[in-house]
Structure formats: structure tokens, C-alpha cells
Amino acid sequence: MNLFADIRALVINSLEAMVAEGALPAGLEMAQVAVEPPRDAAHGDMATNAAMVLAKPSGMKPRDIAIALAAHLLADPRIESADVAGPGFLNLRLMPEVWTGVVTAILGDPDYGRSDMGAGRRVLVEYVSANPTGPLHVGHTRGAVFGDALASLLDYAGWDVTREYYINDGGAQVDVLARSVYLRYLEAHDLSVDWPEGTYPGDYLIEVGEALKAKVGDAYVDKDEQVWLQDVREFSTDAMMGLIRADLARLGVVMDSFYSEKSLYGTGLIEASIDDLRSKGLIYEGTLEPPKGKLPDDWEAREQTLFRSTAHGDDVDRPVQKHDGSWTYFAPDIAYHFDKIQRGFDELIDVLGADHGGYVKRMKAAVAALSDGRVSLDVKLTQLVKLYQNGEPFKMSKRAGTFVTLADVVEEVGADVTRFTMLTRKNDAPLDFDFSKVVEQSKDNAVFYVQYASARIHSVLRKAADQGVDLTGAPVISDASEFAVARKLAEWPRLVEIAARNNEPHRIAFYLYELASDFHALWNRGSEQHGVRFLQDGDPEATRGKIALPRAVFVVISAGLGILGVTPVEEMR
RNA sequence: GCUCGCAUAGCUCAGCUGGAUAGAGUGUCGCCCUCCGAAGGCGAAGGUCCCAGGUUCGAAUCCUGGUGCGAGCACCA
């Protein structure tokens, strides 16, 4: 059930009835008619802009439309009052039974809030996709949490979701990794080595070097690179992906698939994707203009194979082949997205770090060209995470190879706290992550505040059960603070759709905070008004009616936290 | 120089498809525990929604032009 959708349908039906009886002209576009929660609760339960939206196309005054519409709406048993206000808003107040009905509906439907908005369309969410050269760090963590929650959100809203990790195992950085592991391998043989610029001296490679020794013995000692590079490269990337999978597991992130860049080579897929573009007249040999502003010292005009990305909104055309004929990094990316399209996805979402912002236009151009505009690509950029400890910037060691890892963060504060906290900011806003703050038990900390509501609900239900109360009763609500909670619960399905439409899972986190706030207010109301307390001493039947509402709150908190990948707690520790 | 993102209360941030008197936390100042978990609640004060134009019944939101901050700008990924 979606109360806002139901009432909107009622408004539309009423408007159509007005058309039928000649009170409104035929052929009006109703898409802009909205039914929303009013900003100010004093205005009522819901408001519609129908009269204002239709005033111009119908050539009528907003108030006249609103008054006529109000008369129709009042005939519905759910509508208690309909008042014209402001420039032509129609403020609706719903009958108390409607809110009781919302609570009843939630208790009868564990999937309350799920939507079919996605209509089963297939969406691929690509996220993390960190280079397989080391463990995941904080920046990756945000991308992992965001992408995972977004994927869950879209699933909840009716999309057919695939979660995928693109392994950049085809480029030069993997050679660097292999050489670094080789040096650790030599060290494992007690040989002393130099660490040249541009290698990865991280401690996490020590055991990889030792593992390599265990596998091949001294077969690669004092041998030319061409002997061992290919094998060590494969061995190392496998080891790194093992680390990364373990990191993802710590966070509770489970991918549906890992897609290897290397697997693109030798299959003809790169060639096929470029040929596809060529057949559309979008590939040509040419020379790029030098970049404006500061000119690189070694810049010189070179003829390259270029993709005419400007035909699809990019600023300049992009090279897909270097001057020497080898592919640029962009070519396998085109091929990878070509493959996504061929696998039949209707929508693509790439979650990238903000430092990849310059890459967005060309990739959108490629997807638009390859799919002839049929497949959409939305690129979500996650901004930096700044670490703090007690309000002070958290000092990271500058020593090469050491940084704050995902594992460090999760070990320090836990996966639930990490996930929720990283979703309390919009993806494109920088995030301050204070190790002390995020585990603090105060309402300043959204994770705690929401979990506290969950714990209180369980506390009440435990006590009720101890008193022998049947926990399955129908709701009995009457106080304003109870209706406030019910109204907030009614917004849940609508909120899910808004969040999904915008690909913005942070809205779920903010909603849960608001719901928790209304719940805590209700809780305290019980201090003054014993009649609204959940536990009605010596009256099991009354308690039964009162605990229905917190049970419904928990259904929604549980669903919301589920989307964020956070487990609701039953008690605070 | 160009592109993208951001700019909202002292501070940290929300703000839906354009909607009414722009919200929350924090901080400041008042209240509220004989009572289900006070780890909480209620209230007060606090605003040039960066600036200037434009679109329209209506703009924090959309458009144009500025300002400031961040990120990125051929042959690396």
C-alpha cells in the first residue's frame, strides 16, 4: 500500500469526473498533479497542487478548480476535510481510520514499502572497481557502501539489479605490482633488494612474496623479467583480489560478478566495440588540438585513432589508440560498456571516485553511441572521506605503503556504523568521518539514534511478552504524537521511490532519522500522558492495541536499515 | 584557459517533479525523570538560501552571467 499514491489516484479520478461533467475541459495533462506531505503539519495531512497546475491549461481560476475538486474529494470516506489555501493549494485532512489502516497494512505486509517502479528493468551497478594492487582504503569504502546501498535500493524499488566489480588487471599498474611482489619474493629468499621509484613497498606484499616462494621455490631467482613476469602478474593479482574480496566481506558487500579487464583482450571484443563505433562514423584518424592553458612540456601533435565523442556531448574527441597503434586505457573501457549493453541491461550505473569526474562525458558518449541511445548511463561520483579523531584530523602515516584501510575502519567502529555513517551524506558531498563521533551514543549520531529507537521497541515488546500480552493485536491510536508517527510511516513507500528515482540512498538514512525522532517524541509523550504509553499496566488488551504502532515502526526501520545493509539492534550495549 | 561538482542558521548538513511562513543536529538560553531505557523529550533565539539578471501564478530548486572552494583536463589507469 502507498497512501500517497492512493490519494493521488483519488484526486486524478475526481478531476476526470469533473471533466466528464463539463466542469473542466477535456484533454488536460495530469502528470504535474502532485499529492505531497505539506511542509507545515498544521496545513493538514496532504496537499495537492492540482488547481494551480491546471489553472492555465484550463483557462480557469485556481480557486474555482480547487473548490469544485474539494466537493468531489469530500464524497470519499477517507477525506475528512479539504480546504483551499494560499494561491490554490488544496489541503486535505484524512479520517483517523485511514492512519489506523496504514499501521494495520504495514503489520500485514512484510514487504510494505517495496515498489514496482523499476518494472523489472535490468540495471547494472558497477562499484568499487579498485585496482588490484592492494587492500581497499577509506575512499574505496565509501564507494563500496554507496554502491551497495544503491543496488539494494533499486532492488527494493523493483529493478532487476546486478552488482559488478571491474578488475583493472590489464594495465601497466599490474606490471608494477608484479615487480613489487618479485622483490618481496627475493626478500623471502633473504636477498637484499632496492625499492626503485614507482614500486609498491607495502607490507601486505610480504606474504605474497613468501607465498610465491612456496609455490615456485627459487625458480625465478636471478632470472630475466620475461621469464617470470606473466606468471607473477597473475599470481599477484589473484592474491590482491583475495585481499579485496575479504575486505568487501568485512563490510558485508557481496558482488554478483567480477569482470576482468584482461579477459577483454584476445577475444576481439575491443575490436568489435570500436568497429561498432566506426560503422556509425564515429571513429577517425586525426590529430587533437593541444589542450588550452598549461601545455605539457612534451606535447607534440600526433595522429591517433579518435572517437568522435563530441557527437554525443563531450568537449573534445578522445583517442582510443595511441600513436604506436596500441589501445589507450579508454578502449577497453568502451569494450567493457559495450559488453554491458550486449548483456542486455536497460540501465547502467557507474560509481566512481570524484577524481574520475573528467571521465564522465566521454563514457556517456560511448554508451549513447554504442546503444543508439537505448541504454542510459548514470555516473555517481563519491567525494572524499576526511578522517578525524576527537575532532582533530586523523594523521595518516606518510610512510610509503601505509594508509588507513577499510579493514582498519571496520575493525575500529564496526561494519554497521561504517555503512550508516557513510550514507548520512549525499554522495557528491565531502564526508567527515570522526572515529570518536560515529560510536558516540547521542542523538548527534544518527546511527545510534536510529538503533536506539529499534532497541526501545524491542524493550517494550520484551516487556509486553513477559506480561503475557498477545503481540499481534490491531492498532489503537488516538494521540497526536501517535498520528505523527503513523503519518511518517505512510511516507515510506513514497520516500523509497524518490530515493530510487534519484539514485540517492542517503535519503533512506535521513528518513530513518526522522522516523526515529517522531518515535522518540511519542515515547516521551508517554511520560506525561499515561494513556499513550505502550505498556498499559494491568490491561493486556489495551497494551495489545498500543504496541501495534511500535511494531509497525520496527517493520519500516528494519526495511530501511536492510537497504543500507545495517542490522537493527535489539538492545544497546 | 576549459569541464564537472559544491556554496542554505555561529558550526555540520537535509531540502522531493518548481509550491505555502526554508528544516534537522550541534552550540546558546529556558523547561521536563514517583513514569515503558533521560543514551531521551518540549520550547526560545538564530537566515541577503554566495551575487546579479531571467523564466512564471509561484524559484533555495530551472536558465544566463559572475564570485569563491574542490576535482579533472593528449600519447597513464
Side-chain angles (χ1 to χ4, degrees), chain A residues 210-430:
Chain A
E210 285 169 353
L212 181 60
K213 176 187 170 187
K215 183 190 169 203
V216 304
D218 59 2
Y220 292 158
V221 177
D222 290 331
K223 292 293 192 302
D224 283 349
E225 187 173 289
Q226 59 188 24
V227 173
W228 51 261
L229 184 62
Q230 188 174 337
D231 183 40
V232 175
R233 194 165 49 200
E234 200 158 313
F235 185 83
S236 306
T237 50
D238 284 352
M240 293 303 102
M241 286 312 296
L243 280 184
I244 287 170
R245 285 168 193 260
D247 282 343
L248 293 175
R250 279 179 233 273
L251 256 191
V253 172
V254 179
M255 295 286 172
D256 294 309
S257 75
F258 289 81
Y259 192 105
S260 159
E261 175 193 354
K262 201 175 58 185
S263 73
L264 288 167
Y265 295 98
T267 61
L269 193 61
I270 297 179
E271 292 77 4
S273 61
I274 302 301
D275 284 348
D276 183 90
L277 294 175
R278 182 174 285 118
S279 73
K280 291 164 181 165
L282 296 171
I283 297 291
Y284 67 102
E285 303 298 319
T287 306
L288 288 174
E289 294 289 312
K292 304 286 187 200
K294 56 172 191 220
L295 193 63
D297 296 338
D298 57 345
W299 194 90
E300 57 181 277
R302 283 177 181 166
E303 190 172 90
Q304 298 169 312
T305 305
L306 301 170
F307 165 45
R308 198 182 302 282
S309 55
T310 50
H312 289 278
D314 201 359
D315 306 308
V316 293
D317 293 338
R318 307 290 175 176
V320 296
Q321 272 182 327
K322 302 176 197 172
H323 188 61
D324 66 5
S326 62
W327 299 116
T328 64
Y329 74 92
F330 188 36
D333 283 344
I334 291 173
Y336 174 43
H337 284 78
F338 184 60
D339 185 63
K340 289 180 181 179
I341 292 164
Q342 289 197 322
R343 280 188 273 162
F345 290 101
D346 303 302
E347 300 173 27
L348 306 177
I349 298 175
D350 290 358
V351 178
L352 304 173
D355 54 342
H356 289 73
Y359 164 95
V360 175
K361 281 188 178 181
R362 78 193 63 169
M363 209 61 247
K364 284 190 173 183
V367 169
L370 291 166
S371 73
D372 297 311
R374 286 192 308 273
V375 176
S376 65
L377 170 65
D378 188 12
V379 180
K380 303 298 279 186
L381 302 175
T382 55
Q383 264 292 353
L384 293 178
V385 178
K386 281 185 278 186
L387 295 173
Y388 292 84
Q389 176 83 272
N390 294 316
E392 298 294 319
F394 188 80
K395 295 276 189 273
M396 279 181 270
S397 168
K398 290 283 186 268
R399 191 161 56 84
T402 70
F403 41 81
V404 177
T405 63
L406 179 152
D408 293 337
V409 175
V410 172
E411 182 164 345
E412 186 70 22
V413 304
D416 283 343
V417 167
T418 303
R419 293 186 67 124
F420 196 106
T421 303
M422 290 203 168
L423 291 165
T424 54
R425 287 288 175 274
K426 233 172 359 187
N427 59 288
D428 55 7

